Amino acid sequence: MGISGKHIKPTESELEILRVLWEKGPSTVREVHEVLGQSKDAGYTTTLKLMQIMHEKGLLDRDTSSKTHIYSSAVSQENTQRQLLDKMIDTVFNGSASQLVLQALGNHTSSKEELEKIKQYLNDMEKKINN
Amino acid sequence: MGISGKHIKPTESELEILRVLWEKGPSTVREVHEVLGQSKDAGYTTTLKLMQIMHEKGLLDRDTSSKTHIYSSAVSQENTQRQLLDKMIDTVFNGSASQLVLQALGNHTSSKEELEKIKQYLNDMEKKINN
DNA sequence: ATGAATATACGAATATCTTCGTAAACAAAT
DNA sequence: ATTTGTTTACGAAGATATTCGTATATTCAT
């Protein structure tokens, strides 16, 4: 199992923090906390504690060279997405990715461009299967 | 909010039980427990307790007319899948269903038939958009 | 009827996640 | 130097999820 294959399992709250860090890049607890504050209200030390735990778990890296620590995500967004998605396919959609795809498309209007992109992708895939 | 719009949020273990009931239909605790036993090992009373709690929460219906109670899912597989999926799109894929779709297709080889089905679906959708 | 097997009900222990209060360290301003 | 504000560290409370031991009820075979 490679570096990207580590079994990550962020909790709800942890995922919120990861999203902020993926978006903003390396940040202080204060910065993360302020972004979160827009959607949720928890105390500052709550955010701090969560990020400390995430660091212990290996979800976050941190730079402690200055007094105010700088945290950054130690897991890539793509790997995390893939792992959570794979798990959902397994446990919710009985292993059928296409069942999930149909469900996803059915309930979310996608733009014409997005649909094109997906169709293009499917065409390429069919070619591969046929060869 | 309709009957199908209730905000369901089964836990990991609860989902395992729901899957058995969706598959097998109405079942006793014993029957569910035996299916679960193949992949996990917990005591019988653990399964019982979980199913009792699920009944309290409204996730399961039960028929107590005979001594051995018969449980069945009170939530449809499709609605549950949709809710969990919507949530994942929101919290993991920043609201982009198509991003999720591409990720899902990329990592799971689907059969030619499945791809056809999806393409057909996409074609229909494009027509709708164009009209 | 008695005993063995099986079922439910209940309470509680354990684990994990989330939250926050408080203390100690540090920096900047007065 | 003292105060004020900001930060980290620590511990613990609260909430939820998971697990199981034990008691009680019921069925069935003897």
Side-chain angles (χ1 to χ4, degrees), chain A:
Chain A
M1 164 160 73
I3 179 77
S4 65
K6 275 185 294 190
H7 89 300
I8 306 163
K9 232 231 147 186
T11 65
E12 292 284 304
S13 304
E14 287 173 346
L15 192 57
E16 287 177 328
I17 289 172
L18 284 175
R19 289 178 68 194
V20 174
L21 290 173
W22 286 330
E23 164 83 19
K24 286 178 52 81
S27 309
T28 64
V29 174
R30 174 71 51 194
E31 287 164 342
V32 170
H33 180 63
E34 249 143 40
V35 175
L36 292 182
Q38 289 159 11
S39 51
K40 144 190 231 198
D41 75 326
Y44 172 81
T45 52
T46 300
T47 306
L48 170 66
K49 181 71 164 184
L50 276 171
M51 291 175 74
Q52 285 172 339
I53 291 172
M54 289 171 78
H55 175 246
E56 282 170 25
K57 289 188 189 173
L59 286 171
L60 300 188
D61 291 327
R62 78 173 164 183
D63 172 355
T64 58
S65 60
S66 52
K67 163 163 163 64
T68 303
H69 302 347
I70 310 275
Y71 289 81
S72 53
S73 171
V75 297
S76 78
Q77 179 169 30
E78 202 184 320
N79 280 333
T80 308
Q81 286 176 336
R82 178 156 56 237
Q83 294 212 24
L84 293 174
L85 184 56
D86 284 357
K87 175 154 195 180
M88 169 161 283
I89 289 169
D90 259 22
T91 62
V92 182
F93 289 88
N94 304 310
S96 165
S98 43
Q99 200 187 331
L100 171 140
V101 167
L102 287 172
Q103 180 86 260
L105 293 174
N107 298 287
H108 291 270
T109 359
S110 306
S111 73
K112 195 181 172 199
E113 290 71 28
E114 285 176 323
L115 294 182
E116 253 332 306
K117 215 162 103 190
I118 295 169
K119 257 177 68 181
Q120 185 57 47
Y121 189 89
L122 292 176
N123 281 331
D124 293 351
M125 234 177 151
E126 279 195 348
K127 274 186 205 145
K128 267 192 208 156
I129 290 181
N130 287 331
N131 296 344

